[in-house]
């Protein structure tokens, strides 16, 4: 039978016939479809009153291939919404009311549908197949549009990438949702997790920060959490997250990726080397190290160079590139934590043009970060700037509050945790409220914690090494005194200081980086 004859026989719209003809002539194949299952599902819905409840969250009118089947399901859906009975007579009456009875083939076609199936026993399985065929057709449609636009000289490549990423993501979001789960299944899974935690050497359930007091309060950075760490400029935000990344990767062998939108990968690496080798950052930046310092550097950075730590310094990163890179890194290296430095430097769109004001753009970015955290089931830590309200606040206290978050209240809303960094000596305060010295002391203020307690943790900030450590780790007044290391003689320093590129252990030397 010819394509034209088949198209005239079936009640398809003109646009669908044209699309069908184009696909058949261009590819030699019909679009993915399951017309027999569509007929069986519609027939079953009109036979058994409880059948619709099993597939109402799987099927939508547009997943049906035939326009007639779409109209019939719309009528069934309308009756369900109105709490009206669904059977041959009510569906036929609803189609007449909508003016679609002749378009679908009349009352005779409705009756024929119920003759195609004996019961609704397998309706859920059939509905999932229909949904899968729809997803295949959507992938073909989007791919065809991308191919056609790619051949156009007037197409903007970044807008095209945005279009492709958005449409593919929408397919996954709208059609691949998780099923609801019964409480007994969830309780069993929770008990199994508790039993596994009982057998662990440590009590942390998330990715460790490496700071004892902070991990005690948070249980580590939790999976699927969006963590916002905010502070005023020069307060030590980058130093803090680099310390967290280093601790997770070096001490606990957790793959971590750092997206640096402000500093280059070499600058970040030199900061890490300064902290690891305990050599002043200024000396490393200039490269004028003594013989014993070169020996100390080369002897201490071995673990750092082998750590599963990835740095991406792509400038002006947008959320679509970010999401794509994170998915690829999760697949390749099973990353366990994502760090962004910092949120306000990200862009909401690929072309760099926001769809609204800056506050709306930041809101969309924070929502996207939370979606990535949930999709990949890893903690996402994003740095954020604070507004100048902290500086202008009357009184002696300059400790930040949630209202000081810059540019958008959505950041506070989307975040599972909000942490503030505060160093009293930054404001010239030499003593705290209890008369204790504030030299080298940094506070991590947990202002919001959706699944735990809030409070303040004190850490040691060692400025010349650009890192944070536990307050009582034995450094003492490390922030003001040099490390006592016996110098080694007879070692000639290298003529040029080379930066270290950090990479996971399973990277081959000849393999290109994944970005």
């Amino acid at each position: 039978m010819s394509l034209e004859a088949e198209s005239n026989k079936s009640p398809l719209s003109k646009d669908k016939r044209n699309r069908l003809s184009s696909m058949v002539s261009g590819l030699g194949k019909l679009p993915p479809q399951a017309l027999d299952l569509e007929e069986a599902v519609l027939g079953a819905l009109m036979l058994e009153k409880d059948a619709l409840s099993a597939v109402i969250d799987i099927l939508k009118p547009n997943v049906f291939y035939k326009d007639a089947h779409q109209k019939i399901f719309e009528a069934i859906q309308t009756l369900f919404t109105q709490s009206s009975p669904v059977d041959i007579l009510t569906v036929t009456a609803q189609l007449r009311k909508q003016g679609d009875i002749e378009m679908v083939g009349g009352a005779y076609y409705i009756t024929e549908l119920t003759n195609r199936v004996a019961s609704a026993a397998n309706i859920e399985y059939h509905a999932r197949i229909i949904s899968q065929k729809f997803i295949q057709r959507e992938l073909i449609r989007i791919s065809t549009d991308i191919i056609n636009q790619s051949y156009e000289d007037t197409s903007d490549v970044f807008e095209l990438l945005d279009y492709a990423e958005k449409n593919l993501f929408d397919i996954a979001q709208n059609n691949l949702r998780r099923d609801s789960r019964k409480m007994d299944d969830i309780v069993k899974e929770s008990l199994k997790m508790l039993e596994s935690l009982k057998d662990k050497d440590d009590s942390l359930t998330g990715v460790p920060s490496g700071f004892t007091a902070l991990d005690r309060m948070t249980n580590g950075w939790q999976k699927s959490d969006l963590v916002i760490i905010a502070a005023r400029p020069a307060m030590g935000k980058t130093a803090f997250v680099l310390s967290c990344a280093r601790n997770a990767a070096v001490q606990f062998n957790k793959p971590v990726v750092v997206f640096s939108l402000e500093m280059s990968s070499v600058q970040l690496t030199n900061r890490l080397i300064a902290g690891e080798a305990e050599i002043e950052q200024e000396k490393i930046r200039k490269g004028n190290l003594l013989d014993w310092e070169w020996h100390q550097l080369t002897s201490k950075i071995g673990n750092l160079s082998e750590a599963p730590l990835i740095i991406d310094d792509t400038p002006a990163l947008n959320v679509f590139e970010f999401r794509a890179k994170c998915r690829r890194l999760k697949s390749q290296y099973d990353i366990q934590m994502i760090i962004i430095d910092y949120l306000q430097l990200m862009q909401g769109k690929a072309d760099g043009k926001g769809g609204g004001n800056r506050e709306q753009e930041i809101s969309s970015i924070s929502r996207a970060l939370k979606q990535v955290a949930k999709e990949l089931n890893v903690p996402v830590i994003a740095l954020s700037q604070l507004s100048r309200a902290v500086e202008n606040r009357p009184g002696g206290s300059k400790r930040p509050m949630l209202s000081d978050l810059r540019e958008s209240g959505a950041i506070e809303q989307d975040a599972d945790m909000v942490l503030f960094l505060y160093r009293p000596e930054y404001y010239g305060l030499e003593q705290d409220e209890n008369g204790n010295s504030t030299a080298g002391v940094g506070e991590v203020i947990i202002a919001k914690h959706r699944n735990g307690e809030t409070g303040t943790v004190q850490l040691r900030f060692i400025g010349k090494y650009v890192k944070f450590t536990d307050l009582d780790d034995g450094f003492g007044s490390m922030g003001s005194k040099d490390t006592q290391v016996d110098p080694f003689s007879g070692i000639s320093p290298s003529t040029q200081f080379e930066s270290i590129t950090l990479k996971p252990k399973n990277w081959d030397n000849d393999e290109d980086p994944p970005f």
Side-chain angles (χ1 to χ4, degrees):
M1 182 180 293
S2 66
L3 172 64
E4 183 178 359
E6 179 65 23
S7 299
N8 290 333
K9 179 181 177 182
S10 302
L12 298 176
S13 66
K14 182 179 179 180
D15 290 340
K16 184 162 285 187
R17 286 200 302 269
N18 290 339
R19 188 162 71 246
L20 176 60
S21 176
S22 175
M23 289 182 176
V24 172
S25 61
L27 302 176
K29 295 182 179 179
L30 286 171
Q33 55 185 283
L35 295 180
D36 53 342
L37 293 181
E38 291 184 10
E39 294 171 350
V41 166
L42 292 174
L45 292 176
M46 291 183 285
L47 283 178
E48 298 188 17
K49 64 177 183 178
D50 296 328
L52 186 57
S53 300
V55 298
I56 194 66
D57 59 339
I58 301 174
L59 296 179
K60 299 174 185 176
N62 62 340
V63 306
F64 290 90
Y65 181 70
K66 272 190 178 182
D67 286 348
H69 294 168
Q70 293 183 11
K71 295 297 183 182
I72 294 170
F73 188 77
E74 283 179 5
I76 294 173
Q77 202 173 43
T78 302
L79 291 170
F80 179 80
T81 304
Q82 298 172 351
S83 299
S84 301
V86 177
D87 55 36
I88 300 175
L89 297 178
T90 56
V91 171
T92 303
Q94 181 63 33
L95 286 169
R96 284 199 178 97
K97 184 178 179 180
Q98 295 175 185
D100 296 326
I101 188 64
E102 297 301 327
M103 180 264 183
V104 303
Y108 175 76
Y109 186 73
I110 305 297
T111 305
E112 281 294 303
L113 289 176
T114 59
N115 296 329
R116 304 293 177 91
V117 62
S119 71
N122 301 318
I123 189 171
E124 185 175 350
Y125 181 76
H126 294 161
R128 294 193 182 279
I129 294 177
I130 294 172
S131 179
Q132 290 169 13
K133 297 298 181 183
F134 168 72
I135 294 173
Q136 288 178 275
R137 293 198 300 272
E138 284 294 283
L139 291 173
I140 292 172
R141 178 184 63 80
I142 294 171
S143 301
T144 303
D145 288 344
I146 294 171
I147 291 171
N148 291 336
Q149 293 185 48
S150 297
Y151 279 109
E152 295 292 335
D153 294 334
T154 57
S155 297
D156 185 287
V157 65
F158 295 108
E159 290 183 357
L160 189 56
L161 283 171
D162 185 7
Y163 170 82
E165 180 79 20
K166 181 180 183 301
N167 279 271
L168 291 174
F169 183 71
D170 286 345
I171 291 177
Q173 286 293 99
N174 296 330
N175 297 282
L176 302 180
R177 298 186 182 275
R178 294 181 178 179
D179 293 334
S180 302
R181 301 174 63 190
K182 294 176 62 178
M183 180 55 68
D184 60 344
D185 294 333
I186 303 174
V187 169
K188 289 177 183 177
E189 183 176 331
S190 298
L191 290 176
K192 185 176 180 181
M193 183 185 70
L194 290 174
E195 289 175 359
S196 65
L197 292 176
K198 182 184 67 174
D199 298 332
K200 289 179 63 176
D201 295 334
D202 57 74
S203 59
L204 297 183
T205 59
V207 178
S209 69
F211 303 119
T212 306
L214 183 60
D215 284 337
R216 190 179 297 120
M217 291 187 68
T218 64
N219 252 333
W221 309 118
Q222 298 297 310
K223 293 179 179 180
S224 78
D225 273 7
L226 172 60
V227 181
I228 299 295
I229 299 176
R232 290 294 293 155
M235 195 66 73
K237 296 188 299 296
T238 302
F240 177 74
V241 293
L242 278 184
S243 297
C244 291
R246 178 265 169 200
N247 294 341
V250 174
Q251 292 181 224
F252 301 96
N253 199 34
K254 302 286 187 182
V256 178
V257 57
V258 179
F259 290 92
S260 176
L261 284 73
E262 187 175 31
M263 301 174 64
S264 70
S265 57
V266 173
Q267 290 174 320
L268 287 183
T269 302
N270 287 343
R271 279 194 172 202
L272 286 165
I273 291 173
E276 192 72 15
E278 297 175 6
I279 298 175
E280 294 182 28
Q281 185 194 15
E282 187 67 16
K283 286 189 174 184
I284 289 181
R285 188 176 66 84
K286 295 179 179 179
N288 56 349
L289 306 183
L290 301 176
D291 291 349
W292 66 269
E293 290 174 323
W294 280 104
H295 188 280
Q296 180 169 309
L297 185 149
T298 55
S299 65
K300 286 196 172 185
I301 63 173
N303 291 335
L304 183 64
S305 62
E306 293 296 323
L309 181 57
I310 305 165
I311 298 177
D312 184 324
D313 60 357
T314 303
L317 186 70
N318 63 68
V319 293
F320 303 104
E321 294 173 328
F322 170 75
R323 186 184 292 117
K325 288 187 176 189
C326 288
R327 286 171 179 160
R328 185 165 62 248
L329 290 169
K330 180 66 175 179
S331 174
Q332 290 178 320
Y333 306 111
D334 191 26
I335 54 174
Q336 298 296 304
M337 185 165 69
I338 300 169
I339 296 174
I340 303 151
D341 183 15
Y342 60 93
L343 187 150
Q344 278 81 8
L345 291 180
M346 290 191 73
Q347 295 183 357
K349 290 194 173 183
D351 57 6
K353 300 176 182 178
N357 58 39
R358 182 58 177 165
E359 183 174 343
Q360 292 173 337
E361 186 176 12
I362 292 295
S363 298
S364 67
I365 292 172
S366 68
R367 283 194 299 270
L369 298 185
K370 177 58 180 177
Q371 289 171 356
V372 169
K374 290 190 67 176
E375 178 185 346
L376 302 184
N377 198 30
V378 298
V380 173
I381 301 176
L383 300 187
S384 177
Q385 293 282 18
L386 287 179
S387 67
R388 292 187 180 90
V390 179
E391 315 290 345
N392 301 328
R393 184 176 298 141
S397 177
K398 301 295 183 182
R399 284 185 173 84
M401 301 182 295
L402 288 173
S403 58
D404 297 324
L405 282 172
R406 185 177 172 184
E407 289 186 313
S408 177
I411 298 177
E412 175 188 346
Q413 176 182 331
D414 295 330
D416 297 281
M417 289 182 64
V418 177
L419 280 65
F420 296 119
L421 294 182
Y422 172 70
R423 292 191 294 113
E425 61 179 344
Y426 177 88
Y427 295 104
L429 304 175
E430 298 180 356
Q431 292 183 338
D432 61 15
E433 295 84 351
N434 300 321
N436 299 318
S437 173
T438 60
V441 175
E443 295 183 6
V444 180
I445 304 169
I446 305 177
K448 176 185 178 182
H449 193 183
R450 185 166 286 162
N451 301 306
E453 61 180 317
T454 59
T456 300
V457 173
Q458 288 190 332
L459 300 177
R460 176 74 59 191
F461 175 68
I462 309 173
K464 63 181 179 179
Y465 300 151
V466 203
K467 73 173 183 177
F468 283 82
T469 66
D470 282 330
L471 189 64
D472 54 352
D473 64 351
F475 274 90
S477 57
M478 199 69 178
S480 58
K481 296 182 181 180
D482 291 336
T483 309
Q484 299 299 319
V485 181
D486 293 332
F488 294 88
S489 58
I491 302 176
S492 59
S494 303
T495 57
Q496 182 180 4
F497 177 72
E498 298 179 355
S499 63
I500 307 298
T501 301
L502 305 181
K503 61 181 182 179
K505 295 179 180 179
N506 60 339
W507 274 15
D508 296 329
N509 292 332
D510 297 331
E511 183 179 354
D512 292 330
F515 25 74

